[in-house]
Amino acid sequence: MVKLIKKNLKKSYKMNLTKTEVFKKFNQWLTAWNMHDLGGVMDFMHPDISFENSDGRIVNGKEMLRKSWMPWFMLHEDFKFFQEDIFFDEQSQKMTFQWRMEWFPVDYKLKGQNKTIRGVDILEFKEGKIFRKITYSKTAIQIGVTATAGIHVK
């Protein structure tokens, strides 16, 4: 009986996801982002999440992350993420996610433009949830080349 209890406890703490499971969860998570559903996004976060933003800020804990994201979700209602590439290693429970985000901040809307940000997230899963997330990103600017003038920024 004790062996059975130990086996079940060990199993519940070591919940490794298969590639199929993580891709299914990930697609649900991405859908929650694109529906601007903060609660849905947070459902996939481990209680002890460590989130490092592209600006170097680190937020620890699910509730602190929810509080830090809430104003952004309220102010930016028209963003959308697009998956460019994804890789998941089952053994280490780590994923890389290459993405593009498009949105229409007020200053861009006035010019009739959208803003595009491209990035890569490194995700680590624990107990079936995102435990660690590090974001690297850049804002895309259009660069054009002319034969006589060289490189210029539009």
Side-chain angles (χ1 to χ4, degrees), residues 28-118:
Q28 292 169 343
W29 186 63
L30 196 58
T31 298
W33 274 103
N34 289 335
M35 304 235 356
H36 312 125
D37 175 8
L38 179 57
V41 170
M42 296 308 298
D43 285 344
F44 294 94
M45 300 297 178
H46 190 277
D48 298 323
I49 179 78
S50 177
F51 177 91
E52 184 174 338
N53 203 345
S54 59
D55 64 6
R57 284 183 310 119
I58 298 173
V59 180
N60 292 308
K62 188 174 180 175
E63 288 312 308
M64 290 302 294
L65 186 58
R66 179 188 311 276
K67 286 178 186 174
S68 82
W69 277 351
M70 195 172 296
W72 199 88
F73 269 77
M74 291 170 63
L75 294 172
H76 302 96
E77 60 192 38
D78 52 4
F79 62 86
K80 183 161 184 161
F81 282 96
F82 299 90
Q83 176 182 321
E84 292 185 346
D85 199 8
I86 194 167
F87 174 79
F88 178 69
D89 180 68
E90 278 187 49
Q91 186 175 354
S92 67
Q93 294 289 288
K94 292 182 181 177
M95 172 189 278
T96 57
F97 165 47
Q98 182 180 339
W99 51 267
R100 182 180 82 250
M101 182 180 76
E102 294 181 3
W103 57 307
F104 297 89
V106 173
D107 55 334
Y108 281 67
K109 266 187 193 174
L110 296 175
K111 299 175 194 172
Q113 299 173 332
N114 69 330
K115 184 173 184 175
T116 301
I117 299 173
R118 295 188 69 225

Side-chain angles (χ1 to χ4, degrees), residues 15-32:
M15 186 178 154
N16 281 357
L17 298 170
T18 65
K19 190 178 274 194
T20 302
E21 290 169 329
V22 85
F23 286 170
K24 182 180 177 184
K25 281 183 174 239
F26 183 79
N27 284 329
Q28 292 169 343
W29 186 63
L30 196 58
T31 298

Side-chain angles (χ1 to χ4, degrees), residues 119-136:
V120 174
D121 287 349
I122 300 170
L123 306 167
E124 183 177 343
F125 293 83
K126 182 178 178 181
E127 300 167 359
K129 302 275 186 173
I130 299 169
F131 175 70
R132 185 167 170 226
K133 182 177 183 293
I134 302 172
T135 299
Y136 299 93

